[in-house]
Amino acid sequence: MPDRGGGPTGPRIRVGRPSRRVRTLLMTLGVLAALAMLFVMFAGFWTDWLWYRSVHYSSVFTTTLGTKIGLFGVFGLLMALAVGFNIWLAHRLRPPLSAMSAEQQSLDRYRMSIAPYKKWVLLAVTALVGLVAGASAAGQWRTWLQWVNGVSFGQKDPQFHKDISFYTFDLPWYRFLLSFGFAAAVLSLIAAALVHYLYGGLRLTSPGHRATAAATGHLSVLLGLFVALKAVAYWLDRYGLAVKSSGLRSTDGWTGLRYVDANAYLPAKTILFIIALICAVLFFATLWRRTWQLPVIGFGLMVLSAILIGGLYPAIVQKFQVSPNEQTKEAPYIAKNIKATREAYGIDHTKVDDKYPGKSDAAGKDKNKLREMANSTASLRLLDPNIVSPAFQQERQDRGYYQFPSTLDVDRYTVNGKEQDTVIGLRELNIKGIPERNWINDHFKYTHGYGAVTAKGTSVPKGGGPDFQSDGTLGAYQPRVYYGEKTTQYSIVGGPQKEIDKPGDEGKESFGYDGKGGVALSNPVNRAAYAVAFGEPKILYSGAIGKGSKILYNRTPKERVEAVAPWLTIDGDAYPAVVDHRIQWIVDAYTTTNGYPYASRTTLGDTTADSLTTGQRAVVAQQNQVNYIRNSVKATVDAYDGTVRLYQWDAEDPVLKTWMKAFPGTVKPKGEISADLKAHLRYPQDLFKVQRELLARYHVTDPAAFYTGSQRWQVPDDPTNKGNAVPPYYLSMRMPDQKDQTFSLTTTFTPKNRPNLGAFMAVDADAKSDGYGRIRILEPKGAVWGPEQAQSNFNSNSDVASLIRLLKGGDSEVEYGNLLTVPLDGGFLYVEPVYVRGARANYPLLRKVLVNYGEKIAFRDTLGEALDEVFGKQQGETGKQPPDTTRPPSANPTVKQAIKDAQDAYANGQKALEQKDLEAYGKAQKSLKEALDRLAKAEEEAERKADGKPAGKQDEGRRDEGKQDEAKRTEG
């Protein structure tokens, strides 16, 4: 045989072998690529499973995943079968011979091209619609679980007399089924019509009948199903009126039936329901009559009825019956809305005292007694947690890789047998402050913060900085903070690498994590999965990972609670507490719904925003709008090992009971809350802000007054931070009907579009108190300064303004602290700490305290001095002479001259700066210092005279000591 591989002397070429190698290589690469894609998908699933197992909430993962898969499979299959069956049926009902028309001849080439692949086309179309429908259904896992596990509310709506659970748990699921049915009917109708057209069952331009009898019957049944579903929609729309949001003149956020709904829309929906059923029967009748005449007439009647009965008739009722006498017509429905809204937001037991005088008749009262009442009514917190964070940072940071939150928290701790308000912050890890940034340092060496720092809230030392408490105040506890609000990066701990530990001991002492938190990386599959999930290949092969290594992630308290309880809405502010010798983050969590009948809706993100919230602190609600909220769960996150515990707080909440049925064993009973933990639980700020927003309108229970809006309130702007709502403040205080001080959360209202005080609101925030959650409102009868007016009066007072200008001298900045409002003897006491941040200082120091009661204003160095001045305390048990309240401090000639000299020096300095005359500026600063020294000396002399004490060396030594302390702080 001839040699086909080449000549006798040429090389032998084997045809086909290189192509097989190429094909094998391509197949191998394809398989590897597919395996890589599958592993990427597997990595996300596997790491999620490992994390949930590490926090012992694997049931949440399996229940959620199983529900999603089940819904995806069932509804995806149903949609695929519905569409696929109708495509198959339309093909089966095709005419045996297509008409010899130009239209059908042009379709022949499409029929011929599809013919070899008909099965594959059918599978592709059904698979596509099935995937889309399944994915949409999987997103309804919360709706399904609530429907299956729904618990009765034990209350019925006033219109249809159905249990509230029908609207919150049942109606959303029925609406989903209805929307799924509409989608299946429409897709099936479109697919069937296309197949009938392709195979000649429908004709658009051919002469004769436009549709075969088989196509007519098939499509009419599908149209009949669509119209039948529309009838069901009309019936459900009747109940939907109870949870429908609409506008009502003079009110906003209205939800529920109005007069026109009950007397026009409701009967219209019932009539349209009957018409739609009749129309559906007419479509089904075409199976026997084989004509479109009656169905088309019926469908036209339904459309015309929808326009006339469903649109025109309600408009006529609204215009000619309701609008001329809207207040009277809507009164019964407003009453239902008020009652439902107050119940849904837990404000139905709010106590409003509208006989509070607002102003005290202090002229004829014992000044000493009023002064003592000021002490006993409230523990006035001077340390503002929103301002003093830089002081914590400067004096207790210890290392650059630690940090404190910008807004600290207020809690209560028992010191020397007495409970006191305390400002607390954790020394958390600051990844940006690491001296040398690299992968090992970022994720292996610098892994945790260290310790809690506390300061007294009601007292400030003479230097003006926080009164830090000793480490022993909190007792012995585990100080390491591996989980915190600022800890967002992952860390790998417990392996060969040792961690930097303890402030100030860098390089001297290391630490190896031994907590139970984290996911083990000893398994190579785990390492590979996390290398893919985090996009960091070093995790797979790094020698820094070995036996005992664990990876910590999802480290903020909020994201940990959200992960283990995705059915909860989380409060915007987690706060730390030392509980049972460990640092625990306490997280308030809410159950919500937007299907409570007649209750007005509110947007959580807007309602909970104030002058202190940022994008990170504002509530991120799973439902944008809600009309029912309960603080049903108190959660804790251990700062050392990340353990998450959920405790049932509201044992009566039907929504929580429903979720506890869906996820059994995830929420612990309320009885398991320890006494130490309960001592630190408090009423949550975000719930309070939602309730105050609703109470601004719904404190009015009379429908006529509610309609006119004449008694509406509004949350005032923060007088120290314009353009944002004033935040609520935690404060130990006593309301007029209480005997003792209680840890409370307070806020103020002003009348709508007016600056004076409209009301004062407080809630018992102490979880140990029998009255926890009780809301009290004081509505003054007379005109009282509101917060903004009080601040304006502070600023416009001539003596205060003069001293403020002096405090701003030398490029210092004045920062106003929280303006506290306290009811006192029929009036209201305003207290505001004033901080000064020096030109060379990194943090503000408390320098003055503003106090206002009635028409009197005091601006003194300490709270006690300011209260003494405002109340004009008489000589009594203390033996002190009463201060001279007949003339302001500036009436003293020495003080007056010192103030004038200081003002002149400051003005000269500013002028020198504008002219760039540094020599003149230096002289002006020297003159300013001399004037301030004379002013301080004159004030001290006046204080000694008031106390009846001679000047002595001991006093001078104390002054020198205070100046040295201040100098040290400034240098720091």
Side-chain angles (χ1 to χ4, degrees):
M1 292 185 64
D3 186 355
R4 298 175 185 264
T9 59
R12 184 177 297 273
I13 300 175
R14 297 181 179 180
V15 179
R17 286 193 177 184
S19 62
R20 285 199 299 272
R21 289 176 181 174
V22 171
R23 286 199 300 270
T24 301
L25 179 61
L26 292 176
M27 289 180 63
T28 302
L29 292 175
V31 171
L32 291 176
L35 290 175
M37 293 178 62
L38 289 174
F39 188 79
V40 170
M41 297 171 61
F42 167 78
F45 162 81
W46 186 243
T47 53
D48 285 346
W49 162 250
L50 291 174
W51 187 86
Y52 276 96
R53 190 175 64 175
S54 72
V55 294
H56 307 292
Y57 282 91
S58 54
S59 63
V60 175
F61 179 78
T62 54
T63 299
T64 304
L65 182 63
T67 304
K68 290 179 178 179
I69 292 175
L71 292 173
F72 178 88
V74 170
F75 285 94
L77 182 62
L78 285 176
M79 182 65 77
L81 289 175
V83 175
F85 172 76
N86 281 282
I87 292 176
W88 173 83
L89 184 60
H91 181 265
R92 183 74 179 270
L93 297 176
R94 69 189 185 279
L97 295 173
S98 58
M100 297 303 295
S101 63
E103 180 184 16
Q104 291 301 314
Q105 289 176 5
S106 65
L107 292 173
D108 277 344
R109 63 176 182 270
Y110 296 108
R111 288 193 287 265
M112 293 176 63
S113 60
I114 292 175
Y117 309 105
K118 284 190 292 186
K119 291 183 179 180
W120 292 108
V121 171
L122 177 62
L123 289 175
V125 171
T126 55
L128 179 62
V129 296
L131 288 173
V132 174
S136 176
Q140 298 293 322
W141 65 271
R142 291 184 179 88
T143 307
W144 162 260
L145 288 176
Q146 285 187 308
W147 181 67
V148 170
N149 300 283
V151 173
S152 172
F153 274 67
Q155 293 175 273
K156 295 184 178 181
D157 77 282
Q159 181 68 39
F160 302 102
H161 307 293
K162 285 187 169 293
D163 191 89
I164 304 298
S165 60
F166 171 80
Y167 300 94
T168 56
F169 305 141
D170 298 343
L171 190 58
W173 178 250
Y174 296 154
R175 282 176 165 169
F176 165 71
L177 292 179
L178 187 63
S179 64
F180 179 84
F182 274 124
V186 170
L187 291 175
S188 297
L189 182 63
I190 293 173
L194 288 174
V195 173
H196 280 301
Y197 176 70
L198 183 64
Y199 287 96
L202 287 178
R203 306 181 187 92
L204 299 180
T205 60
S206 300
H209 292 290
R210 299 295 184 185
T212 62
T216 300
H218 184 195
L219 296 180
S220 63
V221 169
L222 291 176
L223 286 170
L225 287 174
F226 179 86
V227 176
L229 289 173
K230 186 62 179 175
V232 176
Y234 282 133
W235 187 256
L236 290 181
D237 285 346
R238 298 169 66 255
Y239 301 109
L241 294 173
V243 291
K244 182 192 71 171
S245 292
S246 60
L248 181 68
R249 192 178 305 170
S250 301
T251 65
D252 50 14
W254 176 270
T255 299
L257 282 83
R258 298 179 297 158
Y259 180 90
V260 69
D261 296 315
N263 295 277
Y265 280 111
L266 187 57
K269 297 291 184 183
T270 305
I271 295 172
L272 290 173
F273 163 73
I274 296 172
I275 293 175
L277 284 181
I278 296 173
C279 185
V281 172
L282 293 177
F283 273 107
F284 293 142
T286 56
L287 285 173
W288 296 276
R289 293 181 58 85
R290 303 296 184 180
T291 176
W292 291 94
Q293 185 176 4
L294 284 179
V296 169
I297 294 174
F299 188 77
L301 176 63
M302 188 179 74
V303 173
L304 183 62
S305 300
I307 295 172
L308 297 179
I309 301 176
L312 184 60
Y313 175 64
I316 294 173
V317 171
Q318 177 67 32
K319 184 171 182 62
F320 294 102
Q321 290 189 34
V322 179
S323 295
N325 192 18
E326 188 175 53
Q327 179 177 330
T328 303
K329 294 289 187 182
E330 301 290 7
Y333 304 96
I334 294 176
K336 294 175 184 178
N337 174 266
I338 292 173
K339 183 177 183 295
T341 301
R342 288 170 64 90
E343 290 173 350
Y345 289 94
I347 57 177
D348 49 326
H349 297 297
T350 299
K351 181 180 178 182
V352 180
D353 181 2
D354 58 357
K355 295 180 171 55
Y356 190 74
K359 291 186 178 181
S360 172
D361 183 15
K365 294 188 178 180
D366 186 345
K367 307 301 181 183
N368 288 333
K369 186 176 180 180
L370 280 174
R371 178 65 180 83
E372 291 169 2
M373 287 179 63
N375 283 339
S376 62
T377 298
S379 297
L380 296 166
R381 179 172 42 76
L382 297 179
L383 199 65
D384 187 347
N386 314 303
I387 288 182
V388 299
S389 179
F392 275 60
Q393 193 83 0
Q394 185 69 21
E395 297 207 10
R396 292 294 186 268
Q397 179 188 17
D398 295 329
R399 290 289 179 180
Y401 47 82
Y402 292 127
Q403 63 180 329
F404 289 94
S406 58
T407 299
L408 303 175
D409 289 289
V410 178
D411 203 349
R412 298 136 292 152
Y413 286 89
T414 302
V415 181
N416 297 325
K418 183 180 179 181
E419 187 174 87
Q420 66 177 25
D421 292 359
T422 304
V423 175
I424 183 171
L426 296 191
R427 191 185 288 110
E428 292 192 49
L429 180 67
N430 177 16
I431 195 73
K432 296 180 180 178
I434 295 176
E436 186 66 32
R437 297 292 303 277
N438 55 60
W439 188 64
I440 294 295
N441 280 347
D442 286 0
H443 300 288
F444 291 83
K445 288 292 187 181
Y446 297 89
T447 59
H448 60 277
Y450 198 95
V453 178
T454 59
K456 293 181 181 179
T458 55
S459 65
V460 176
K462 192 169 184 179
D467 188 1
F468 291 109
Q469 296 175 314
S470 63
D471 294 338
T473 302
L474 302 177
Y477 68 97
Q478 169 57 264
R480 295 172 181 88
V481 183
Y482 281 88
Y483 296 86
E485 290 181 303
K486 300 291 185 180
T487 312
T488 56
Q489 76 284 356
Y490 72 88
S491 291
I492 299 176
V493 298
Q497 289 284 345
K498 294 300 180 182
E499 309 160 42
I500 299 297
D501 192 49
K502 285 192 177 181
D505 286 346
E506 184 178 359
K508 296 180 181 179
E509 185 172 343
S510 59
F511 181 74
Y513 182 75
D514 58 358
K516 59 183 179 181
V519 179
L521 292 177
S522 55
N523 188 326
V525 176
N526 292 358
R527 293 177 65 171
Y530 279 104
V532 172
F534 289 165
E536 182 49 75
K538 293 178 184 177
I539 296 177
L540 181 61
Y541 58 78
S542 174
I545 302 175
K547 184 179 179 180
S549 292
K550 293 181 175 182
I551 186 167
L552 311 180
Y553 62 105
N554 287 351
R555 298 171 72 180
T556 67
K558 184 176 180 179
E559 65 183 344
R560 291 182 79 79
V561 176
E562 281 179 334
V564 303
W567 36 273
L568 290 174
T569 299
I570 310 303
D571 191 89
D573 182 31
Y575 59 97
V578 176
V579 178
D580 298 322
H581 310 294
R582 299 179 75 90
I583 298 175
Q584 299 283 351
W585 288 98
I586 300 176
V587 183
D588 286 289
Y590 310 107
T591 49
T592 61
T593 180
N594 64 355
Y596 197 99
Y598 270 106
S600 292
R601 291 183 171 90
T602 187
T603 303
L604 290 182
D606 296 336
T607 306
T608 57
D610 58 35
S611 64
L612 301 182
T613 57
T614 63
Q616 296 176 341
R617 283 196 59 197
V619 165
V620 180
Q622 294 164 352
Q623 297 158 313
N624 186 36
Q625 286 192 324
V626 303
N627 68 351
Y628 173 93
I629 185 169
R630 289 290 186 274
N631 177 213
S632 298
V633 174
K634 300 285 189 180
T636 63
V637 177
D638 192 291
Y640 182 66
D641 60 25
T643 299
V644 182
R645 295 182 179 88
L646 307 176
Y647 297 98
Q648 183 182 20
W649 186 247
D650 187 344
E652 304 300 322
D653 178 27
V655 180
L656 178 61
K657 291 179 180 178
T658 296
W659 286 119
M660 290 176 68
K661 282 182 63 179
F663 296 95
T666 56
V667 181
K668 300 178 182 296
K670 188 175 183 178
E672 293 191 21
I673 298 177
S674 68
D676 197 8
L677 173 59
K678 193 172 184 179
H680 294 282
L681 298 181
R682 68 190 191 188
Y683 202 81
Q685 293 185 68
D686 283 342
L687 175 60
F688 185 75
K689 286 187 279 189
V690 170
Q691 289 174 326
R692 75 172 179 179
E693 184 70 24
L694 270 297
L695 279 169
R697 288 175 288 150
Y698 286 92
H699 69 281
V700 180
T701 56
D702 178 63
F706 186 90
Y707 175 85
T708 61
S710 59
Q711 299 179 29
R712 287 187 62 175
W713 300 331
Q714 64 185 11
V715 180
D717 286 345
D718 189 341
T720 62
N721 191 351
K722 295 292 185 182
N724 299 283
V726 63
Y729 296 120
Y730 286 107
L731 185 69
S732 290
M733 57 160 289
R734 174 170 56 86
M735 290 289 277
D737 63 338
Q738 292 178 302
K739 293 182 179 180
D740 301 311
Q741 290 185 18
T742 302
F743 190 67
S744 305
L745 191 55
T746 67
T747 192
T748 53
F749 294 102
T750 58
K752 188 70 173 179
N753 300 324
R754 291 173 59 195
N756 57 292
L757 186 68
F760 174 82
M761 173 179 168
V763 64
D764 190 337
D766 189 349
K768 306 187 302 297
S769 170
D770 294 336
Y772 173 85
R774 185 176 300 165
I775 300 174
R776 296 176 174 87
I777 294 179
L778 300 177
E779 185 177 4
K781 293 190 296 183
V784 182
W785 288 355
E788 292 180 279
Q789 285 180 313
Q791 186 67 51
S792 177
N793 289 325
F794 284 155
N795 297 338
S796 61
N797 183 277
S798 58
D799 300 322
V800 174
S802 298
L803 292 174
I804 289 293
R805 284 195 295 270
L806 290 177
L807 292 174
K808 290 181 178 179
D811 296 329
S812 297
E813 296 179 9
V814 172
E815 298 182 28
Y816 293 98
N818 37 220
L819 179 59
L820 303 177
T821 309
V822 176
L824 178 64
D825 191 44
F828 288 96
L829 177 70
Y830 285 106
V831 177
E832 183 178 57
V834 178
Y835 294 81
V836 177
R837 188 192 297 263
R840 291 173 294 175
N842 294 325
Y843 61 92
L845 298 173
L846 181 67
R847 289 300 184 216
K848 295 285 184 181
V849 179
L850 276 164
V851 173
N852 161 239
Y853 188 70
E855 301 296 326
K856 295 184 178 180
I857 294 176
F859 190 47
R860 305 293 288 175
D861 292 341
T862 66
L863 175 62
E865 293 172 357
L867 291 174
D868 286 345
E869 182 175 333
V870 162
F871 293 109
K873 184 174 179 180
Q874 303 295 322
Q875 183 176 357
E877 297 179 0
T878 60
K880 295 182 180 180
Q881 296 293 329
D884 184 5
T885 57
T886 60
R887 66 175 185 176
S890 58
N892 185 312
T894 305
V895 174
K896 190 173 182 179
Q897 184 61 42
I899 291 176
K900 183 179 183 306
D901 292 344
Q903 291 173 337
D904 292 342
Y906 177 74
N908 292 335
Q910 294 300 109
K911 185 176 180 181
L913 278 179
E914 293 176 1
Q915 298 175 356
K916 298 182 180 181
D917 188 344
L918 296 181
E919 183 178 354
Y921 179 75
K923 291 180 179 179
Q925 291 300 303
K926 184 178 179 180
S927 300
L928 176 60
K929 184 179 181 303
E930 292 174 353
L932 291 175
D933 288 343
R934 282 189 280 119
L935 178 62
K937 185 176 180 181
E939 288 186 343
E940 290 175 2
E941 184 67 26
E943 290 175 6
R944 282 195 296 274
K945 288 181 179 179
D947 294 342
K949 294 181 180 180
K953 293 184 178 179
Q954 187 176 358
D955 293 326
E956 294 174 1
R958 287 177 180 170
R959 288 198 302 273
D960 294 340
E961 192 176 304
K963 291 180 180 179
Q964 291 173 5
D965 290 342
E966 185 176 348
K968 289 180 181 179
R969 294 178 191 271
T970 305
E971 289 174 3

